[in-house]
Amino acid sequence: MDLAQALLEGNRRALAQALTLVETGGSQARILLGALFAHTGRAHIVGVTGAPGAGKSTLVAALAAHWRRAGRTVGIIAVDPTSPFTRGAILGDRIRMQALSGDPGVFIRSMASRGRLGGIARATGDAIAVLDAAGFDVVLVETVGAGQGEVEIAAAAHTTIVIEIPGAGDDIQAIKAGILEIADLLVVNKADRNGAEQTVRQLRTMLSLADRPADGWTPPVLTAVATRGEGIEAIAAAAEQHLVYLRESGRFTGREQERAARELRLILQETALERVRALVPTSEWDALVAQIVARTLDPYAAANQLLDRALSH
Amino acid sequence: MDRPIRVLIAKPGLDGHDRGAKVIARALRDAGMEVIYTGIQQTPQMIVEAALQEDVDVIGLSILSGAHMTLLPRVMELLRHHGMHDVLVVAGGIISDEDARILKEQHGIAEVYGPGASTHEIVRFIQERCRTRN
């Protein structure tokens, strides 16, 4: 396929168009991803998540600049929420990334969540694969402004950075299930503000309560003032150490297996649905829906009926 | 397949007033479009680079500084240089009728809006022009 070839040769327009294609989905997208698959698996995928206004974009930009100075290329995916009412979105993460403009070693793509609630979009995993295949050494993924439950990034990234800001909650917030559990690195950003030390202490206490295996990774709690570039070097170094840890402990293979299993499951769901829809005329589909509404057929039986037909086809 | 219209909103030049650009961004969002907002003081290079990476259908340029006859033709030139002939470019700001005519006829800006333009009009124009894209 021409698009895959152009992308692999470093054509940035082809890369941009490939990202649009995987975001739109469908059979063309799957053919492209199939062609790129053999070229994936080289990038260090780093997720950055945290509450709105915590400084995700600024930290991502600062980390990218740091890795560029170290001679590594960086692809960035920045996700912002889609309106549940109009399907529209304002994607504003580039505003904080202006300093990276003009660098051919950086590629930034904004992505709308398009109805997904886990903090990233349905196609974010595919977009990561595209940037990985395009040869970027690091792929940074910035999630939507996250609350407590947007944890999907952990399944898509090798290393997940969770950003907290001073004064955002008591020590019970810190032991609640959810976003803090997925952190491989915890960063207290805006550390020049009052209460930063207390937040660091609470997070460390939270971590010390955890029952961890002896060879396990204890997430470091680091501080930063991302707008001034303070603390960035230590964060980048910790992210790199985490990747080394994953490789040496064998966890890397484990995570890759989880990722692969999850991908396979998602793709199977999507493809199965698409094939069944292609096989069943709209009139018949509508008739089944009408029967479910009338309570003469239950949706589980209807789904089984359709699947049986597709499988015997 | 059905996908939302993607629009880049940028402010070329040195003026820092982006209220108008934000009003437009919000209106396009409410019309179901994905709006990439890049902020103020963008050079033509930065605008075209962002448009390329984001693979947008439309670029909306807001310019109040008076430098539109330098900056807007430069944006169009860079777009052509990158083979991005299919990107619809609209401009808004304080632009005289004569300048607007030249920008449209000689440089390929699709439409120019003055301070009194309604957001509905702009939304409708973009929707109609993007309907025919693949």
Side-chain angles (χ1 to χ4, degrees):
Chain A
M1 185 177 184
D2 288 348
L3 193 59
Q5 197 51 44
L7 181 162
L8 292 171
E9 283 166 10
N11 182 320
R12 289 163 79 83
R13 184 112 205 265
L15 172 55
Q17 289 167 339
L19 289 167
T20 302
L21 186 60
V22 300
E23 213 182 355
T24 309
S27 57
Q28 288 300 310
R30 284 198 294 271
I31 292 168
L32 173 76
L33 287 162
L36 295 179
F37 185 71
H39 302 273
T40 62
R42 286 181 293 206
H44 181 193
I45 303 158
V46 179
V48 176
T49 189
K56 293 182 294 299
S57 304
T58 309
L59 185 79
V60 163
L63 282 171
H66 172 87
W67 275 317
R68 285 301 295 138
R69 283 193 295 273
R72 310 182 72 192
T73 57
V74 183
I76 298 173
I77 299 166
V79 191
D80 264 330
T82 292
S83 160
F85 302 111
T86 67
R87 296 206 313 152
I90 301 275
L91 312 175
D93 294 320
R94 293 187 82 98
I95 296 171
R96 314 256 177 256
M97 301 182 188
Q98 310 265 2
L100 301 169
S101 189
D103 182 346
V106 176
F107 193 100
I108 307 169
R109 182 63 173 244
S110 312
M111 207 171 194
S113 63
R114 297 197 182 170
R116 261 291 260 284
L117 298 176
I120 55 177
R122 180 198 59 81
T124 300
D126 292 340
I128 292 170
V130 170
L131 288 171
D132 186 354
F136 290 97
D137 299 319
V138 182
V139 176
L140 274 160
V141 183
E142 177 187 342
T143 72
V144 304
Q148 293 176 313
E150 290 88 343
V151 296
E152 279 190 13
I153 184 63
H158 298 128
T159 303
T160 301
I161 303 176
V162 176
I163 309 183
E164 293 282 313
I165 46 174
D170 61 16
D171 49 357
I172 294 301
Q173 294 299 341
I175 57 169
K176 283 188 180 170
I179 197 162
L180 288 174
E181 286 181 283
I182 64 168
D184 300 308
L185 262 68
L186 279 158
V187 172
V188 177
N189 191 29
K190 309 191 186 186
D192 52 344
R193 289 191 180 175
N194 280 340
E197 279 169 39
Q198 197 193 345
T199 303
V200 169
R201 215 163 37 238
Q202 281 171 351
L203 292 171
R204 291 209 171 115
T205 309
M206 176 273 289
L207 292 169
S208 71
L209 297 175
D211 184 18
R212 282 173 189 276
D215 67 334
W217 168 268
T218 303
V221 182
L222 304 166
T223 58
V225 184
T227 48
R228 296 206 296 258
E230 289 173 25
I232 300 306
E233 225 178 291
I235 296 167
E240 287 162 24
Q241 274 162 27
H242 181 253
L243 186 65
V244 171
Y245 156 78
L246 287 179
R247 290 229 164 89
E248 288 180 352
S249 65
R251 302 260 158 126
F252 192 84
T253 319
R255 285 207 184 193
E256 284 294 298
Q257 273 164 0
E258 277 170 39
R259 260 160 55 90
R262 178 173 169 276
E263 285 266 276
L264 180 60
R265 206 165 50 235
L266 288 174
I267 293 167
L268 183 62
Q269 279 173 1
E270 213 170 286
T271 329
L273 179 62
E274 215 165 275
R275 288 224 186 150
V276 169
R277 288 302 307 256
L279 211 64
V280 179
T282 310
S283 57
E284 194 181 325
W285 178 273
D286 291 344
L288 282 174
V289 172
Q291 286 180 58
I292 296 167
V293 174
R295 299 290 191 277
T296 55
L297 180 69
D298 72 82
Y300 304 96
N304 268 321
Q305 202 175 306
L306 291 172
L307 260 184
D308 287 343
R309 228 178 83 190
L311 289 172
S312 63
H313 191 71
Chain B
M1 220 185 222
D2 184 35
R3 63 180 173 90
I5 297 170
R6 281 171 74 87
V7 187
L8 183 86
I9 297 288
K11 275 194 64 66
L14 295 176
D15 71 285
H17 304 279
D18 64 347
R19 190 181 150 75
K22 283 177 180 155
V23 168
I24 298 296
R26 171 69 202 259
L28 298 177
R29 185 203 88 173
D30 288 344
M33 300 180 201
E34 292 182 353
V35 182
I36 295 109
Y37 192 81
T38 58
I40 58 172
Q41 300 187 351
Q42 302 277 299
T43 65
Q45 286 81 357
M46 289 163 90
I47 291 165
V48 173
E49 186 192 7
L52 186 149
Q53 292 179 359
E54 300 289 355
D55 194 25
V56 294
D57 307 294
V58 183
I59 301 175
L61 299 169
S62 162
I63 183 159
L64 298 166
S65 67
H68 49 267
M69 293 312 275
T70 331
L71 296 172
L72 301 190
R74 181 76 185 125
V75 168
M76 300 310 289
E77 195 185 309
L78 287 167
L79 283 174
R80 279 191 295 274
H81 173 75
H82 286 95
M84 297 164 69
H85 306 277
D86 50 346
V87 179
L88 183 77
V89 181
V90 296
I94 318 236
I95 297 172
S96 72
D97 291 349
E98 176 59 12
D99 285 354
R101 191 184 60 75
I102 295 170
L103 288 171
K104 285 161 75 169
E105 288 174 6
Q106 294 179 20
H107 299 287
I109 303 266
E111 195 51 271
V112 175
Y113 296 97
S118 87
T119 54
H120 292 292
E121 190 187 334
I122 299 169
V123 165
R124 203 172 331 111
F125 180 78
I126 290 175
Q127 282 172 335
E128 272 165 22
R129 290 292 292 267
C130 287
R131 193 164 294 152
T132 50
R133 75 193 172 141
N134 54 14

